[in-house]
Amino acid sequence: MCERASDPSNPHDCGFRESHQYTLVQKILGAIDEHSKEAKVSACPACLRDAMMVVAALLHFEAEKDERTNEAHDRVADTFADVARERMNAVVDALIELGSANRVM
């Protein structure tokens, strides 16, 4: 979403401020609410948590990819990232089956 920090002592100095983060979270929650209303289902907090954790972990590994120096860590991180991508693809496939992928993704 943003360039790497110019100041190595402050890795979050990228211009994606807290206000941007909260706005993005509000939009994500709005999309979940909209999907729940359209699909006439209740969003299960535990399922949403699990899916969001997979996405967050994948983003974490992708963000740290350039900084990795340990080969064993690379293999584990890459394996996890592959599994997380497979899980995300399963979620996308489910959305497509429900016919709502164009609105949510």
Side-chain angles (χ1 to χ4, degrees):
M1 281 190 187
C2 55
E3 298 281 328
R4 277 272 183 219
S6 56
D7 178 7
S9 67
N10 186 0
H12 300 291
D13 179 27
C14 64
F16 195 67
R17 305 217 185 298
E18 200 169 282
S19 62
H20 298 296
Q21 295 171 32
Y22 290 133
T23 300
L24 185 57
V25 168
Q26 281 182 309
K27 288 182 179 189
I28 291 168
L29 292 174
I32 291 168
D33 186 51
E34 183 179 326
H35 173 74
S36 295
K37 288 176 184 174
E38 287 176 359
K40 296 183 174 127
V41 296
S42 294
C44 167
C47 294
L48 286 172
R49 176 205 59 213
D50 294 348
M52 294 291 218
M53 291 300 289
V54 168
V55 171
L58 178 59
L59 289 171
H60 171 74
F61 280 118
E62 290 296 326
E64 299 300 320
K65 198 174 211 172
D66 294 337
E67 296 178 16
R68 287 190 235 147
T69 56
N70 182 316
E71 215 173 290
H73 183 268
D74 284 352
R75 286 193 302 277
V76 171
D78 289 341
T79 299
F80 181 87
D82 290 342
V83 171
R85 281 189 199 95
E86 287 174 19
R87 176 74 187 261
M88 286 176 53
N89 287 336
V91 170
V92 170
D93 290 343
L95 289 171
I96 290 170
E97 282 185 37
L98 292 172
S100 60
N102 291 336
R103 303 235 24 199
V104 176
M105 299 309 251

